[in-house]
Every structure is written in structure tokens, then in C-alpha cells.
């Protein structure tokens, strides 16, 4: 109708409109092709990467510390051992009663309330409250059954006699003594809240190997005593 009315006046507008439509269709097709190629790359070349990311989103990981191997003298006397301690942490998204969590942790762990409050209210995947907590205290905190509070067992290295010289052995034979840590994996939703009724997956740790030395702790103690006596007798600065 418009072309019949004025073939010179409206024909060019109709052509311009068609060009715009063609441009839009081509643009949509190009974007669609690009997204299809991108999706194909995600599903093939990067599938493993995104599967890992998905697992990380829905699984929370906590380490199970491996027991470090002992160091012993030639007679089996322990020169370096492990003492069970606990690590107390919180998962912000799982906490249901912040005030109670703050009160219990501040009281049981003998920490300033402001310090505990800051850590409890911090939005993070996991926040450590205190490490090297005595096992007895860790057990008491567990009894409160507080949502979002985790008490995991750990180990602290102890030396019944003296750590001088032993530290060199710790470093040199670390590969054998260290062992391999385990894992506790718990399922959570997209908000990071643990899914009730879901089973925990546990990868058990592999404890480190014991190291037996040619030292005799009794001879070592006697030699040390003689060295000290000689230093005092000779008024030496060191021995």
C-alpha cells in the first residue's frame, strides 16, 4: 500500500528495515553458534574441571591429621612421640545459634568474647577458632552438639627428654615420618549448609613410619651430665 502511494518515498525504508532484520538474525545466529561451541568445550575439554568445581561446591572437606611416626632409641625408648589435641573450627553457614556458639567457645577455650565473635560472624567456608586444644576440652565442646561447630582431632609433637638433635632427624626423615593425611567430606547445598541425613565420606589417614636410631638414651643422658659438670669445673662458656 505504501509503495503504491509513493514508490519513491517509502521503498528505501522497507529495504532498510529488511537489512536491520537480516543483521539481527545474523547476530543471533553468531551468538548461538558461539554459545554452542563454548558449551561443547565445557562438556568435553573442560568437563573434568567443572565437575571438580561442582564437587567442591557441594562437598566440604576437613583434614584428618595423620599420626607422625615416633623416633626411638636402640632399646625402644621413645625420644619423640605424639599427644592427641583438638582443632576447633566453625562453618558460618551452618551455625543456628550464634550467641550460644560464642558463649560456649569463649568459655571452654578461655578466649576473649570479642575475638570469638569476630571469627564466628565472619562469612567464610571454615574459620579456625583454636588449635592445640586439650582433648578433654574438645570432648566437652562436642557434648554441646552445636550446629556449625567442628572439633577435629590433631596431634602435637612432644619430646620426653630433649629435642636438641632430634629436630635434625625430624627434618631429614620427614618423608617417612609424616604419613598421609585423610579427609572428611560432607555434602552441603548451594548455600553451604550441610545436608541432614547425608553420609560422610571418609578417606582414612596413613600414619607415618617409626624411626629407630642407634642412640642409647641412658648413655646420652650420662654423657650430657658429664659435659655439664666439666663445663662448670673448667669455667667454660660452652661445651
Amino acid at each position: 500500500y505504501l509503495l503504491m502511494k509513493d514508490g519513491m518515498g517509502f521503498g528505501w525504508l522497507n529495504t532498510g528495515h529488511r537489512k536491520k532484520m537480516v543483521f539481527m538474525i545474523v547476530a543471533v545466529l553468531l551468538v548461538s553458534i558461539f554459545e554452542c561451541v563454548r558449551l561443547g568445550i565445557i562438556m568435553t575439554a573442560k568437563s573434568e574441571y567443572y565437575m571438580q568445581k561442582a564437587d567442591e561446591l557441594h562437598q566440604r572437606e576437613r583434614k584428618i591429621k595423620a599420626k607422625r611416626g615416633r623416633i626411638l632409641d636402640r632399646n625402644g625408648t621413645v625420644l619423640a612421640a605424639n599427644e592427641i589435641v583438638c582443632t576447633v573450627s566453625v562453618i558460618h553457614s551452618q551455625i543456628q545459634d550464634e550467641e550460644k556458639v560464642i558463649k560456649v567457645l569463649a568459655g571452654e577455650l578461655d578466649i576473649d568474647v570479642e575475638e570469638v565473635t569476630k571469627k564466628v560472624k565472619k562469612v567464610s567456608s571454615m574459620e579456625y577458632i583454636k588449635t592445640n586444644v586439650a582433648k578433654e576440652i574438645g570432648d566437652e565442646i562436642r557434648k554441646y552438639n552445636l550446629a556449625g561447630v567442628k572439633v577435629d582431632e590433631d596431634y602435637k609433637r612432644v619430646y620426653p627428654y630433649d629435642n636438641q638433635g632430634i629436630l635434625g632427624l625430624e627434618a631429614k626423615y620427614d618423608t617417612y615420618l609424616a604419613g598421609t593425611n585423610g579427609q572428611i567430606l560432607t555434602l552441603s547445598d548451594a548455600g553451604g549448609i550441610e545436608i541432614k541425613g547425608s553420609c560422610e565420606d571418609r578417606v582414612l589417614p596413613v600414619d607415618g613410619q617409626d624411626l629407630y636410631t642407634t642412640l642409647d638414651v641412658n648413655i646420652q643422658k650420662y654423657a650430657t651430665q658429664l659435659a655439664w659438670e666439666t663445663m662448670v669445673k673448667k669455667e667454660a662458656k660452652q661445651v
Side-chain angles (χ1 to χ4, degrees):
Y1 170 76
L2 294 175
L3 287 174
M4 287 174 64
K5 186 175 182 180
D6 188 352
M8 294 296 292
F10 293 95
W12 68 274
L13 284 175
N14 195 30
T15 302
H17 181 68
R18 287 200 303 270
K19 287 182 178 180
K20 288 180 180 179
M21 288 294 294
V22 171
F23 175 78
M24 290 176 64
I25 292 171
V26 171
V28 170
L29 284 173
L30 288 174
V31 171
S32 299
I33 292 171
F34 172 77
E35 290 298 328
C36 286
V37 171
R38 183 167 173 269
L39 182 60
I41 293 173
I42 291 174
M43 294 175 66
T44 55
K46 293 189 175 182
S47 61
E48 187 175 341
Y49 169 80
Y50 284 105
M51 284 177 67
Q52 181 181 350
K53 288 295 182 183
D55 287 340
E56 289 175 358
L57 176 64
H58 293 292
Q59 287 186 324
R60 291 195 176 276
E61 175 186 324
R62 306 201 318 272
K63 288 184 178 179
I64 305 176
K65 194 72 176 290
K67 186 186 295 184
R68 192 171 179 81
R70 301 172 301 166
I71 299 178
L72 308 96
D73 79 347
R74 65 190 305 162
N75 301 311
T77 302
V78 178
L79 305 177
N82 304 292
E83 179 181 319
I84 298 177
V85 292
C86 294
T87 295
V88 180
S89 57
V90 293
I91 298 177
H92 182 270
S93 61
Q94 297 179 6
I95 295 175
Q96 296 176 359
D97 189 340
E98 282 191 352
E99 296 305 318
K100 186 174 181 180
V101 168
I102 292 169
K103 182 179 179 180
V104 170
L105 295 185
E108 293 289 348
L109 299 175
D110 193 23
I111 303 178
D112 184 72
V113 174
E114 290 185 4
E115 182 182 347
V116 176
T117 302
K118 184 178 179 181
K119 291 183 177 181
V120 169
K121 291 182 177 292
K122 184 177 179 180
V123 180
S124 62
S125 58
M126 181 177 288
E127 193 70 19
Y128 290 104
I129 303 298
K130 191 173 182 180
T131 59
N132 288 331
V133 176
K135 187 177 184 302
E136 295 76 17
I137 296 176
D139 291 339
E140 287 299 316
I141 294 174
R142 282 197 187 98
K143 292 178 182 178
Y144 288 96
N145 197 28
L146 297 170
V149 176
K150 305 298 180 183
V151 181
D152 297 315
E153 289 192 354
D154 201 345
Y155 296 99
K156 180 175 71 174
R157 202 62 161 167
V158 291
Y159 302 94
Y161 298 98
D162 193 347
N163 65 2
Q164 288 187 347
I166 302 300
L167 293 180
L169 294 174
E170 294 271 27
K172 183 173 182 179
Y173 296 99
D174 182 69
T175 303
Y176 304 97
L177 293 166
T180 305
N181 291 334
Q183 294 177 336
I184 300 176
L185 299 174
T186 55
L187 289 176
S188 61
D189 60 20
I193 300 174
E194 191 172 322
I195 299 174
K196 292 183 178 180
S198 61
C199 296
E200 286 186 341
D201 289 332
R202 285 177 176 260
V203 179
L204 297 177
V206 178
D207 293 340
Q209 301 177 53
D210 289 343
L211 175 66
Y212 288 83
T213 69
T214 56
L215 289 171
D216 185 312
V217 71
N218 293 316
I219 295 176
Q220 191 74 15
K221 286 164 63 177
Y222 182 61
T224 301
Q225 181 182 347
L226 289 178
W228 279 108
E229 290 176 357
T230 304
M231 186 178 73
V232 173
K233 183 177 180 180
K234 299 295 183 179
E235 297 182 355
K237 292 182 179 179
Q238 61 183 6
V239 61

